[in-house]
Amino acid sequence: MIEFVWRWRVALMASIVGVVAAIMRFGSLGYPQALVFDEVFYARGAYSLVTMGYEGEWGGENQDFANGDLSQLSAEADYVVHPNLGKLMIGWGIQMFGPTPYGWRFMAAVVGVATVIMIAFIARHLLRSTLWGGVAGLFLAVEGEHVVLSRTALLDIFLTFFIVAAMGLLVIDRTSAHRRLLAAAAFDRERLGLGPGSLIPGQGPNLGIRWWRLAAIATFGLSVSVKWNGLYFAAAFLVLSVIWDWYDRKKCGWENWFAGGFVRAIPAFFATIIVVPLVYLASWIPWFRSENSWGRHWAENNPGEGLTWLPDSLNSLVHYHEQMLEFHRGLDSPHNYESNPWGWPLQIRPTAFYFEDVTDVDCGAERCISAIHGIGHPLIWWVGAAVLLYALWRIFRHRDMLALTVTTGYLAAWLPWLPFAHRTIFTFYTVTMAPFLVLMVVWAMKRLAQPDHRRGKWWKPGAIICAVYIGLVLILAGFFYPVWTGEPIPFEYWQMHMWLPSWV
């Protein structure tokens, strides 16, 4: 009976957050009938990939493609600066539903909903609570940056999906490893005749091949196959996995816990430097298979240049990557919506994806507009900035492993961009921060409502504060929904959402 109730609660939690996420992402997904922001690159590139096997040059006006005119696609290869996987996934939606706005946004919405559900389960495990897992999933379901990117055919939502999936696999790996470490510690103490709290000689057991961690490494390879900055997350989370191992070995009581964790990290390191490149290389199979791909025959046309010891196809791919790297290094052209990453935690300069006057819909006002702004949910982001400071204090003052766990993804998504503040970068990159932002915020909420000293019991004032906060988050999500989805609204109502001058 207890197991049935437990399963029923978990199923209900997953169903609620999944339904809310789907409503936010699939509602009027085909609107607007236009290429929104950088969909001009990725939607058209995806169509080209799944029809020709490579990305071709497009002519004509952007709206021609949105209106169904596909005649402007030429056989001439286009120079693109991101790997293929995200665009291939966009293309799967196009194959299912055609080259329509719904078709090229479909897979973004699917992985957006999947990410919400994964975060709910990750939070449930980390916080040991189905309720708090549901709150985390609900917060991500209504988080503006994640909603907007889940409704747009850009790459970053796919990057976010694979990063969260990889973290989830590492959490499963840790749970499995910890269970085995506890069993080994109990066995060694009994074998050596040691008391329950005594130190155990040695480093702890060799757990063999950790398949869940290997799966996480491969999934990080998929994230890099969407955008290169997946490498930052791979490095951060795999280091965190080693820290978990040290922590668990020490907690179980082995004297040489550090050496034990370090030695076992060496195979994981070599697996990473082998598996991630192999997965990444596999994502370029369409490029290898298409004779007309950009730069496909560079090595053959330039004998004696590049890495001549490689086969011509790989030499050409390396040269192509050198070109892409040079492009990214020089990406510093001014843009109306570029943002300084120092302002990302407060969403100082959100990205305007779309803004048009609407004349064919009566919104009940003299001027009607359709606008899509990548504005992160203010109550979640602004509270999250304060929670980050608290979490860092917990890490350095109390060596709080859970605080480190919930902040790692946030910091991995943010800190690497700070040295590149001079480049043309955008706030919508923070969609990769959003899942870990809600983990941080909900972790802090639990500490407020169920303080450690109460051993899981509720503190009524803290619980009331959290309940009011959840209500305000949901109400504000409803208020911002029109400017996250492009729903036609009066111009004056749009102005009510522009809380900061930098949001206009």
Side-chain angles (χ1 to χ4, degrees), residues 411-488:
L411 295 174
W414 179 41
L415 295 182
W417 289 103
L418 297 181
F420 302 104
H422 63 283
R423 277 185 41 186
T424 309
I425 51 182
F426 302 94
T427 301
F428 74 80
Y429 296 176
T430 61
V431 67
T432 57
M433 297 168 67
F436 311 108
L437 166 72
V438 301
L439 283 181
M440 282 197 319
V441 169
V442 175
W443 163 78
M445 291 172 66
K446 184 187 179 187
R447 292 191 62 83
L448 178 63
Q450 297 175 286
D452 288 345
H453 68 272
R454 296 183 66 88
R455 300 182 180 278
K457 294 182 179 179
W458 293 88
W459 180 52
K460 187 174 181 180
I464 292 173
I465 292 171
C466 289
V468 170
Y469 177 65
I470 293 169
L472 291 174
V473 166
L474 295 178
I475 291 170
L476 200 60
F479 175 72
F480 272 94
Y481 183 77
V483 298
W484 290 338
T485 62
E487 180 181 320

Side-chain angles (χ1 to χ4, degrees), residues 12 15 33 105 118 142 146 206 232 240 262 277 304 347 393:
L12 180 64
S15 299
Q33 178 88 18
R105 294 170 190 153
M118 286 192 295
V142 301
H146 198 266
N206 179 358
Y232 298 137
L240 177 64
F262 181 80
Q347 296 287 294
W393 176 78

Side-chain angles (χ1 to χ4, degrees), residues 235-250:
F237 276 112
L238 291 172
V239 168
L240 177 64
S241 179
V242 176
I243 294 173
W244 283 343
D245 204 26
W246 281 330
Y247 180 84
D248 291 340
R249 286 174 186 271
K250 183 179 181 181

